[in-house]
Amino acid sequence: ARGRLVSFGGRAMNPDDRAKYLNGPESPLFHKGATLYGLPEARRILGAESKSTQAVIVVEGYMDVIALAQAGIAEAVAPLGTALTEAQLERLWKLQPIPILCFDGDNAGKKAATSVASRAMPFLESEKSLSVALLPDNQDPDDLLQSGGRPEFESVLEKAEPLVDFLWHEATSQSVFDTPEKRSALGRALRLQASTISDKNLRAFYLADFNQRVDDLFTRKGNTKSFKKHYIA
């Protein structure tokens, strides 16, 4: 975090290589799951305290951080070839209360964002959350910068969704809820997500929000009866 060397890492250039990323061994100075590539540069931009209105951007890999830095966007960080850990999330929240997850717009990127969201849920608080800005399909940050430059990338960031919106869209975008069983499954899935939030007050607000969305969704589909009392308790 202070910009001092703790290890080395490499990105495979041959798609047939067994490992996409290769990092140095764990040591007293280097813990892969607690280290974020680009953190000292982001700290210089945002400040050491989480008072900046500018958001830290979390991308998938350190080649993405390098591409963004070349375009003049230095507030980006990345894990070291693995999914974000709880320790890395805590480091992000010390820097800025609502980091933006900016992953590739393909299925793998959406899956990665959903996985991070699930890992973050138990630790959410009123001033500790995430937002999500997925890139266009089959594009990574370098692709987007090559085609549209910095303005195009920043337009993606401006459309970042609050975490609750992202969870709702991922839960509902690929399914048709045309039977009681499917509606029940949607309710159960959202209830399980919200129930993992440790903060009781925030958990109650997530449950109430999901209640309202499901009620609105099924009422719009022609069901006049409210589902609130039967959906999530």
Side-chain angles (χ1 to χ4, degrees):
R2 298 177 182 177
R4 298 174 181 174
L5 182 65
V6 293
S7 187
F8 293 91
R11 165 67 157 81
M13 302 303 291
N14 186 339
D16 296 327
D17 285 343
R18 292 178 59 188
K20 188 174 181 179
Y21 291 92
L22 185 64
N23 299 294
E26 295 282 311
S27 74
L29 290 176
F30 175 62
H31 301 286
K32 179 174 65 175
T35 304
L36 288 164
Y37 184 80
L39 182 61
E41 290 77 16
R43 286 184 68 188
R44 282 196 289 271
I45 296 294
L46 300 174
E49 301 295 331
S50 56
K51 298 177 181 178
S52 175
T53 57
Q54 191 172 357
V56 60
I57 305 160
V58 185
V59 290
E60 292 189 44
Y62 33 73
M63 299 304 289
D64 298 324
V65 175
I66 292 170
L68 289 170
Q70 289 176 327
I73 303 172
E75 62 272 21
V77 301
L80 305 184
T82 58
L84 280 172
T85 66
E86 290 87 347
Q88 289 166 331
L89 285 166
E90 289 294 344
R91 283 204 161 192
L92 288 168
W93 283 323
K94 287 180 181 179
L95 187 62
Q96 215 278 336
I98 308 180
I100 299 176
L101 302 181
C102 189
F103 294 169
D104 299 353
D106 55 14
N107 288 332
K110 292 178 181 179
K111 185 177 180 180
T114 301
S115 176
V116 174
S118 297
R119 188 171 289 112
M121 293 291 280
F123 309 100
L124 297 183
E125 297 176 4
S126 58
E127 295 186 358
K128 284 171 58 177
S129 189
L130 297 168
S131 60
V132 182
L134 294 177
L135 296 167
D137 287 347
N138 301 315
Q139 286 196 311
D140 61 22
D142 189 52
D143 295 328
L144 193 61
L145 290 168
Q146 292 292 336
S147 62
R150 179 172 177 171
E152 190 72 18
F153 185 83
E154 289 178 337
S155 71
V156 170
L157 297 180
E158 290 171 0
K159 299 172 186 175
E161 292 184 311
L163 182 60
V164 66
D165 291 343
F166 172 75
L167 293 172
W168 170 256
H169 292 148
E170 286 303 296
T172 59
S173 62
Q174 301 297 322
S175 300
V176 177
F177 304 100
D178 54 358
T179 67
E181 290 81 4
K182 291 179 181 179
R183 292 169 185 166
S184 176
L186 172 64
R188 183 170 59 251
L190 292 172
R191 182 185 68 245
L192 287 173
Q193 283 185 321
S195 67
T196 63
I197 300 174
S198 299
D199 186 301
K200 293 181 180 180
N201 190 50
L202 183 61
R203 181 169 67 243
F205 276 107
Y206 260 78
L207 289 169
D209 189 283
F210 286 148
N211 263 328
Q212 186 63 57
R213 290 173 191 252
V214 170
D215 197 54
D216 291 345
L217 174 65
F218 294 152
T219 301
R220 285 200 308 269
K221 290 181 178 297
N223 299 284
T224 56
K225 184 178 180 181
S226 173
F227 283 80
K228 284 183 181 179
K229 293 183 180 179
H230 309 287
Y231 167 51
I232 291 179

